[in-house]
Amino acid sequence: MRNLLSPITKSRQELKKVSTITACAMFGALSVVLSYYSIRVTPNLKVGLGALPNELVDYLFGPFVGPLFGGAMDIIKYMLQPDGGFMPGFTFNAMLAAFIYGMFLYQKPLSLKRMLIAKLIVVVLCNIILGTWWLSMINGRAWIALLPARAIKNLIQWPVDSILFFLVARALEQAGAFRILGKGKHK
């Protein structure tokens, strides 16, 4: 049990650092800008890079900071660019996904395998199951009617997003960008 709670406790300590708050603000601004550049495939399907800064926050600051950041960014992005009615379920999804990424990635060596596993859990639980449920509640369409298109889109995007995160995070780590935040290579 102690090993399970350790990343959460350590992540909570990150909030006491000015560098964490500053980095989250910069990643938040980047997330907002990147979210403006997405492609709407259908009314319910969007593809974009806005999640990448969120995943970097989860990797760098863990399963306590990540969900706070993810929830705040979901609300901020909605306020800046409302897209239909506000659905708290999507805010919950953002926070749950951040928690999952934080538990898998925080203070662990960067690995594509770890990211693929974390992303698969997020894709299935948050995007396919819960996300489809929230959309069915909003649209009044049957969950099962929305499921196939969302499942296909998310399962196709899963390895692409995982590889993209891994390549960006590795490049930033190798360039020493994380050392500014006191985050060197993880042992």
Side-chain angles (χ1 to χ4, degrees), residues 56-108:
L56 288 169
V57 166
D58 305 335
Y59 169 63
L60 293 170
F61 305 115
F64 190 85
V65 174
L68 295 175
F69 179 82
M73 288 312 304
D74 184 72
I75 293 167
I76 290 167
K77 286 179 187 180
Y78 176 79
M79 291 171 57
L80 292 174
Q81 189 176 17
D83 189 13
F86 178 74
M87 173 50 139
F90 290 117
T91 304
F92 173 78
N93 277 15
M95 296 175 77
L96 179 59
F99 179 79
I100 293 166
Y101 289 134
M103 290 301 286
F104 272 84
L105 304 174
Y106 180 59
Q107 294 189 327
K108 295 186 173 87

Side-chain angles (χ1 to χ4, degrees), residues 45-61:
L45 297 177
K46 270 194 313 190
V47 177
L49 298 174
L52 190 58
N54 295 43
E55 293 165 357
L56 288 169
V57 166
D58 305 335
Y59 169 63
L60 293 170
F61 305 115

Side-chain angles (χ1 to χ4, degrees), residues 71-161:
M73 288 312 304
D74 184 72
I75 293 167
I76 290 167
K77 286 179 187 180
Y78 176 79
M79 291 171 57
L80 292 174
Q81 189 176 17
D83 189 13
F86 178 74
M87 173 50 139
F90 290 117
T91 304
F92 173 78
N93 277 15
M95 296 175 77
L96 179 59
F99 179 79
I100 293 166
Y101 289 134
M103 290 301 286
F104 272 84
L105 304 174
Y106 180 59
Q107 294 189 327
K108 295 186 173 87
L110 184 61
S111 88
L112 180 57
K113 180 181 176 183
R114 187 176 288 110
M115 184 58 187
L116 282 165
I117 293 168
K119 179 65 102 173
L120 181 61
I121 293 168
V122 168
V123 160
V124 172
L125 180 61
C126 298
N127 299 358
I128 295 174
I129 295 173
L130 290 174
T132 305
W133 186 26
W134 308 135
L135 282 172
S136 74
M137 290 172 65
I138 291 170
N139 297 338
R141 292 181 59 197
W143 182 82
I144 198 73
L146 298 171
L147 186 64
R150 290 187 50 78
I152 291 167
K153 178 254 185 193
N154 277 282
L155 290 173
I156 289 171
Q157 200 169 340
W158 158 58
V160 174
D161 288 348

